[in-house]
Amino acid sequence: ESARHDGEAPRAERSKPAEPPKPAKAYSAEQQENREAVYGWAEKRGISRETVDWFGLFATTAYFPQHKAERPAIAFPYRWRGETTGHKYRDPEKNHAQDPGTVPTLFNIDSLESPDVLIWVEGEPDVFATHEAGYRQIVSLRDGAPAEIKDEDDPRRADDKRFAALTTHADILKPVKKIILACDNDGPGMNLREELGRRLGKARCWILNWPEGCKDAGDVLRLHGPEKLRECVEGAVPWPMKGMVRVDAARLLQHRERGRLVRG
């Protein structure tokens, strides 16, 4: 066995130092104003030009590993503290790519200015749809929903890069009082809702149900319009907690009145 200095970790135990985050891909102002194709894409989804401009979406080309080629794409800029930290790209076939190695951030995290309510959706288009319905404090993870849910004591959860942005923004997310989890109405969406509830704390999480035939906020906006989407958001209920029963104010008042009648 080869000798080593006291205090030096065996080779198998040494961890590779983390590489510093890479900067976002740079685009000129002219490139970022290339939006005509994006306006058409958005209009089909009930999303206005104003919303496209608000989020700074633009048309470009990007390398997609799935195709091993450059393809036309819509760029979704990720910003944090006013700076562009990266881009996510979507091609016409709904494949996704992103600037490699950038700091993990939540999409639209700079919208979080008040600790009162934060809406958490699954994907950038759902952020746009919810924004279209009049809400502003909306975020989404960069890497979508997990195909499976891990046990709470599974050590792999600690290193799950999908949720790394929660560590990046831990100080910003901690004071938020109410988090509405508006995830997709499918298997991965329910997995994401459960995992976010665990990581953010179910006591401050609210959940909502989408109408029949709608999987997400984008579907509701496209099929039913912004008023229905607002109705869904406002109809969110607290995460069901074991041993707790919700009683509405009207029913509580009825019980009080009955008590008075019995005593009289």
Side-chain angles (χ1 to χ4, degrees):
E1 184 179 356
S2 58
R4 63 183 178 88
H5 297 293
D6 289 342
E8 182 184 353
R11 289 174 185 244
E13 296 176 12
R14 292 178 199 160
S15 59
K16 187 179 177 181
E19 293 184 8
K22 296 178 182 177
K25 184 176 178 178
Y27 291 94
S28 68
E30 185 180 1
Q31 288 173 309
Q32 294 177 60
E33 289 168 6
N34 180 18
R35 294 180 181 161
E36 284 305 317
V38 185
Y39 291 144
W41 171 86
E43 185 179 1
K44 294 175 184 176
R45 290 159 176 78
I47 297 166
S48 65
R49 290 183 171 224
E50 289 77 15
T51 294
V52 170
D53 294 343
W54 178 279
F55 288 97
L57 312 186
F58 59 95
T60 185
T61 58
Y63 179 79
F64 284 81
Q66 304 93 324
H67 299 281
K68 298 181 179 178
E70 290 271 331
R71 289 177 59 82
I74 297 172
F76 304 143
Y78 273 62
R79 298 189 180 102
W80 180 33
R81 296 173 178 167
E83 300 291 330
T84 300
T85 57
H87 300 87
K88 188 171 170 182
Y89 307 95
R90 176 184 172 120
D91 76 2
E93 296 173 8
K94 297 184 180 180
N95 293 308
H96 294 96
Q98 53 188 266
D99 294 342
T102 59
V103 61
T105 59
L106 292 171
F107 186 70
N108 198 38
I109 186 61
D110 278 357
S111 71
L112 184 53
E113 297 179 348
S114 162
D116 294 333
V117 184
L118 176 65
I119 303 172
W120 204 300
V121 296
E122 186 181 330
E124 300 83 2
D126 290 333
V127 173
F128 310 146
T130 311
H131 179 96
E132 199 68 38
Y135 298 97
R136 293 296 175 265
Q137 299 197 160
I138 323 146
V139 297
S140 173
L141 285 171
R142 184 170 62 185
D143 296 317
E148 60 178 7
I149 191 79
K150 297 181 179 70
D151 293 336
E152 288 196 67
D153 58 355
D154 190 326
R156 293 176 298 169
R157 291 181 67 242
D159 300 319
D160 194 333
K161 293 181 180 179
R162 184 186 307 276
F163 300 98
L166 275 69
T167 300
T168 302
H169 306 306
D171 291 344
I172 308 171
L173 296 171
K174 187 176 180 181
V176 179
K177 301 168 188 172
K178 178 179 178 180
I179 301 173
I180 299 176
L181 300 179
C183 304
D184 286 8
N185 185 28
D186 58 14
M190 295 301 98
N191 292 343
L192 178 61
R193 187 170 79 179
E194 174 65 26
E195 191 62 56
L196 287 174
R198 293 174 182 179
R199 292 172 182 267
L200 297 168
K202 293 178 180 179
R204 61 173 175 159
C205 288
W206 292 51
I207 58 178
L208 56 78
N209 294 310
W210 301 120
E212 187 73 27
C214 294
K215 187 187 76 166
D216 53 30
D219 282 352
V220 177
L221 179 67
R222 180 174 52 86
L223 297 173
H224 302 287
E227 288 186 12
K228 185 64 175 179
L229 183 46
R230 286 193 291 271
E231 182 183 314
C232 292
V233 173
E234 299 305 321
V237 296
W239 191 293
M241 305 297 286
K242 235 177 199 178
M244 292 184 68
V245 179
R246 292 187 71 222
V247 180
D248 60 68
R251 183 166 295 185
L252 192 60
L253 188 58
Q254 284 178 356
H255 281 291
R256 285 187 61 189
E257 293 299 326
R258 284 176 188 167
R260 287 174 186 167
L261 288 172
V262 171
R263 285 196 299 274

